[in-house]
Amino acid sequence: MNVIDKKKLIVFLDSGDTLVDESTEVRDEDGIVVSAELIPGAAEMVRTLHSLGFTLALVADGDAQSFKNVLSQHRLHDYFEALIISEHIKATKPSPRMFKAAIGALDGSEADFARTVMVGNNLSRDIKGANALGIISVFQSWTPRYPHIPADESEQPAYTINEPMQLIELVNQLEIELGIAETAGGSSEPQQEQQAKGAGDHVAFYESIRGMGRRPDPREKPAGTR
């Protein structure tokens, strides 16, 4: 059984200001992060998703040793089925090479992007890259260090959360809806055609099975947003 068979939904996670509080990073003389603190709730979120059977992959830009140091520090390394780091891929997000390497490392294919979530703090990297491939984009607006307003439609997230633990409810809901869509026959179009239509139609498809209203606007700051 492939690792992505555990649950229908696959979860890609960024690191900096998604799991790790970048303001706490301690670097050595070579610029490698030797230690850092996590965002409140990040460790619990990772452990909870793993315990629920979701497949997790880290998809992050930076030096491999930095991520190894921090994940080991917080004992999170073994919760990820794959670590896709830009140093190894020789590309950075939003390059499709990062996301394709991640799904490949999970023994999946590009057809699985339609059931994959990318969670990150950077609209121009995480969200834009995910949208371009038909991956469900989730913007985590916890940090004030990066823009919260999309530069254009390509950076518009499908969903917005304020902090890590909010991801649990979202992915559980999406997992249920994926099952409902499949049971009902889902869309009559082939999965590859859905992906080719782009991020806008991908979001519309999920909203049609959600029936839960419009996409959150990242320009709106709900209570609790930092």
Side-chain angles (χ1 to χ4, degrees):
M1 182 177 69
N2 292 339
V3 293
I4 59 175
D5 288 336
K6 294 188 298 182
K7 288 278 189 179
K8 293 182 177 67
L9 198 69
I10 304 160
V11 182
F12 291 172
L13 294 170
D14 179 43
S15 177
D17 281 344
T18 301
L19 300 177
V20 176
D21 183 344
E22 290 186 356
S23 69
T24 67
E25 292 178 345
V26 177
R27 295 177 180 267
D28 64 18
E29 59 185 12
D30 296 318
I32 301 298
V33 178
V34 295
S35 67
E37 297 305 315
L38 300 179
I39 292 171
E44 183 180 358
M45 177 266 286
V46 170
R47 295 185 181 112
T48 300
L49 289 178
H50 183 271
S51 70
L52 291 172
F54 289 99
T55 297
L56 306 181
L58 188 75
V59 183
D61 296 331
D63 298 298
Q65 188 61 48
S66 293
F67 299 111
K68 181 179 180 181
N69 290 341
V70 176
L71 292 177
S72 296
Q73 174 191 351
H74 296 282
R75 300 181 179 180
L76 294 180
H77 189 280
D78 292 341
Y79 291 99
F80 292 91
E81 300 285 355
L83 302 178
I84 304 303
I85 311 301
S86 62
E87 180 187 10
H88 292 156
I89 307 303
K90 308 301 181 186
T92 58
K93 295 172 291 183
S95 170
R97 290 171 57 188
M98 291 288 287
F99 305 96
K100 290 179 180 181
I103 205 69
L106 299 175
D107 295 326
S109 70
E110 292 179 35
D112 292 304
F113 283 151
R115 61 186 183 100
T116 300
V117 171
M118 175 68 214
V119 185
N121 70 303
N122 194 309
L123 294 170
S124 66
R125 294 191 177 193
D126 304 306
I127 305 308
K128 183 174 183 175
N131 286 343
L133 293 172
I135 295 171
I136 307 165
S137 57
V138 179
F139 175 56
Q140 183 171 288
S141 62
W142 179 84
T143 180
R145 282 183 280 273
Y146 295 88
H148 285 200
I149 300 176
D152 54 42
E153 184 62 24
S154 72
E155 297 183 3
Q156 178 68 46
Y159 301 92
T160 295
I161 60 175
N162 297 328
E163 48 87 16
M165 285 302 292
Q166 290 180 355
L167 184 62
I168 306 298
E169 181 179 0
L170 175 60
V171 297
N172 274 323
Q173 184 64 35
L174 289 173
E175 172 75 12
I176 292 169
E177 289 151 5
L178 279 170
I180 292 172
E182 289 184 359
T183 300
S187 171
S188 60
E189 297 175 288
Q191 195 170 41
Q192 291 83 355
E193 291 182 18
Q194 291 178 29
Q195 293 173 352
K197 292 174 68 177
D201 285 354
H202 183 277
V203 172
F205 170 73
Y206 274 94
E207 287 186 347
S208 72
I209 62 174
R210 291 180 78 234
M212 294 176 64
R214 63 177 176 81
R215 288 178 295 174
D217 187 337
R219 290 171 293 186
E220 298 176 1
K221 295 185 176 181
T225 302
R226 288 185 50 163

